[in-house]
Amino acid sequence: MDASEQPKSWITRNLVVLSVVSFLQDSASELLYPVLPIFLTVTLGAPIAVVGAVEAVAEGIAAATKYAAGRMSDRFPPKRLVALGYGLAALGKAFIAIAGAWPVVLLGRGVDRLGKGIRGTPRDVLLVDDIPDHARGRAFGFHRAADT
C-alpha cells in the first residue's frame, strides 16, 4: 500500500487549530461573562434592567448574524471570515475591559456576538475540509468538546 492509498486521518491541522482557538475563546468568555452583571451594576452603577438589555441586544445580534453567515461563507473565503469572527470577539472583550460606562459594555458585547455569528458557519466549513465523510461526526465531537 503506497502513501496515496492510505486512509486519511480525521485529525487535520484545521481541526486542531480551530479546536484550540475555540477552547481559548470559550475560556475567555466563561471567565468574563459570569461577572459581567456585577461589573455593570456595582462597578459601573448601571440599573439592573441594563443587564437584561445588554444580553438581549447581544444575543439578537448573534442570531441575526448567524442567519447571514451561511450566505457569506459561500461568497467569501471561510478562513477570512473565521479570522474576522474571532478577531471581533477579542475586540469586543477588549471594549468591555476598558469600559467606563455601560454603553461601552453594550458595544463590546455586541461586537463580541457579531464575531460569534460571523465565525460559526465558516468554521464548520473549515472543520470538515479534508476530513473523510465517515469521520465528520468524530471531528465535530472533538471540536465541540474543546469548545465546551
Side-chain angles (χ1 to χ4, degrees), residues 73-93:
S73 66
D74 289 337
R75 295 182 179 183
F76 300 101
K79 285 184 181 181
R80 287 187 180 165
L81 291 173
V82 170
L84 175 65
Y86 280 115
L88 286 172
L91 181 64
K93 288 175 182 68

Side-chain angles (χ1 to χ4, degrees), residues 68-133:
R71 182 161 255 195
M72 289 177 7
S73 66
D74 289 337
R75 295 182 179 183
F76 300 101
K79 285 184 181 181
R80 287 187 180 165
L81 291 173
V82 170
L84 175 65
Y86 280 115
L88 286 172
L91 181 64
K93 288 175 182 68
F95 279 137
I96 294 169
I98 64 168
W102 70 263
V104 179
V105 173
L106 175 64
L107 175 67
R109 279 291 280 152
V111 170
D112 175 48
R113 297 293 90 179
L114 180 67
K116 179 182 172 87
I118 289 172
R119 73 179 180 248
T121 303
R123 182 190 60 212
D124 291 347
V125 169
L126 289 177
L127 281 174
V128 299
D129 194 30
D130 295 333
I131 293 178
D133 290 347

Side-chain angles (χ1 to χ4, degrees), residues 8-142:
K8 289 185 188 179
S9 173
W10 64 274
I11 298 179
T12 63
R13 182 175 186 271
N14 278 348
L15 177 61
V16 171
V17 169
L18 289 170
S19 295
V20 168
V21 171
S22 290
F23 173 78
L24 294 173
Q25 188 68 251
D26 197 52
S27 296
S29 294
E30 294 298 328
L31 290 169
L32 174 63
Y33 295 133
V35 298
L36 194 60
I38 297 167
F39 178 65
L40 281 166
T41 56
V42 175
T43 305
L44 299 180
I48 195 71
V50 168
V51 175
V54 166
E55 288 305 309
V57 168
E59 292 306 320
I61 289 170
T65 307
K66 285 177 186 180
Y67 179 75
R71 182 161 255 195
M72 289 177 7
S73 66
D74 289 337
R75 295 182 179 183
F76 300 101
K79 285 184 181 181
R80 287 187 180 165
L81 291 173
V82 170
L84 175 65
Y86 280 115
L88 286 172
L91 181 64
K93 288 175 182 68
F95 279 137
I96 294 169
I98 64 168
W102 70 263
V104 179
V105 173
L106 175 64
L107 175 67
R109 279 291 280 152
V111 170
D112 175 48
R113 297 293 90 179
L114 180 67
K116 179 182 172 87
I118 289 172
R119 73 179 180 248
T121 303
R123 182 190 60 212
D124 291 347
V125 169
L126 289 177
L127 281 174
V128 299
D129 194 30
D130 295 333
I131 293 178
D133 290 347
H134 70 277
R136 287 185 176 173
R138 195 176 329 162
F140 274 103
F142 180 86

